[in-house]
Amino acid sequence: MKKELANEYYKKIKSILMDEFVDFWTTYSVDKEYGGFLCGFDRDGELFHEDKSVWQQGRSLWMFSKLYNEFGGKSEWLDAAKSGYDFINKHCFDENKHMYFRVTRDGKPLVLRRYYFSEAFAVMGYSEYYKATGLEEARDRAIELYDLMVKYYTTPGFFPPKVIPETRSNKGHSIVMIMLNVSQCMREIDHNEKYDKMIDDCINKICGQFIKEDKKALFETVGKNGEFLDTPDGRFINPGHSMETAWFLMTEAIHRKDKELMEKAIRVTEWSLERGWDNEMDGIFYFVDLYNKPVLSLEWDMKLFWVHCEAMIALTYAHMYTGDAKYTRWFERIFDYCLKHFSDPGHPEWFGHLHRDGTPISYIKGSDWKGPYHNVRAFMVLSQLFDKIRNGETIVF
C-alpha cells in the first residue's frame, strides 16, 4: 500500500474511532448515578433499556482503560474505567464467584448463565485497568478470576452441557478462542508460564481440531476428538469468529516469530471471506453452511458490523506480512461497505445489524449485543497498524 493511501486511511480510521465511537460511549454510557456502564441506546443516544449487560461492563472497562493507556491518557477515560471496575466488583458476582450475564441498573442480579464469557471480559478489563493504574488489587483480581476460568475450562461437566453428551459429544470453538485471547492479555501483566501453556493448548485445539485444511474452513463445532460432524451444527461456519480467531493467531505468530502459524491464519482469513462474502449484495454473511445447505439459525443472512471489523483487522495483518495487494483490495472493499451501510450520517455511532440488502434491522446503537467492543477495538487496532504502514513498517520474522 502506498504511503499516501495508508496515511489517508489512518486519518479516516482515527477520526471514526474518536469522533463517532469513543465520543458516543464516553458521553452516554458512563452511569453517573449508579456506576458502571449503560448499554441500551436508541439512534441518538437516548436510553431505552436500563438493565446492564455484564459482558459490556467488562468490555467497557477494557476499552476505557485501553484508551487511557494507548490513545492519549485522558482523565475522563480513567474515571470511566474506575466506575466500571467498582461496579463489577460490587454487583456482578454471585456468592460462588460466578458472574452474572445481566443485572439491573442499580446492580441487582437478573440473569445467570452456564457459560463464563462474562468472566473473560472482566479478566481482560482487570488486566488493562492494572496497566493504567498499577493497582495491585486489579492484578490480583485478574489472576484469581483467570484461574477460576481455567477451572471451568478444564473440569468436564462443571457447567451442564448444551447437548446430552451420552447421545452426542462435541466441543465448541468459541470458548477455546476466548481462552486464547484472555491468556494473551494475562501474559502481559503476570510473568507465569501457565499462560503460554494455555495458549499452546488453545493453538493445538484450534489448528488440530477446528481448522480443517481439506475442507478449507474453521468450524464452530467438532466431535469430542475433533472429528468433522456432518450435521447442521458440524457444518456451521461463523466467518466473523473465524477471522477473529485468525488475527488472534496472527498476533501470537508475531510474538513467536512462527511463519507456519501466520500462514495458516492467513489461509483461514481467505477461506472465511470466500465462503462468507455475499456476491449478490456485498457484505459478509453472519453464518454459512460448509456445503451451502440451509442454516438453522434464521439470522444467517444478516450483515453484522462486528464481523466486518474482525475481517478488516485480519486483512491488515495479512497485508503487512505478505505485502500482497489482494488483501488491501479486500480491506478497501469491506471498509467502503461499512461506510456505506453501517455508518449513520447525522447521528452518533453506527448501526450494528443489517438486513441482507444492507438496510438497518433496527436503529438502536446499544444493547446486550451491540456495545463499544468489536468496533472500538477494531478501529484502535487498525489506527495503530495503519500508523505503522504509513511509516513503512512491515511484519518480518
Side-chain angles (χ1 to χ4, degrees), residues 221-232:
T221 303
V222 295
K224 180 180 180 181
N225 299 309
E227 63 271 24
F228 170 70
L229 301 174
D230 195 359
T231 65

Side-chain angles (χ1 to χ4, degrees), residues 253 258-268 321 397:
D258 186 334
K259 291 184 179 181
E260 183 179 350
L261 183 60
M262 188 73 174
E263 289 164 5
K264 183 181 284 286
I266 291 173
R267 290 197 296 276
V268 169
Y321 177 71
F397 298 161

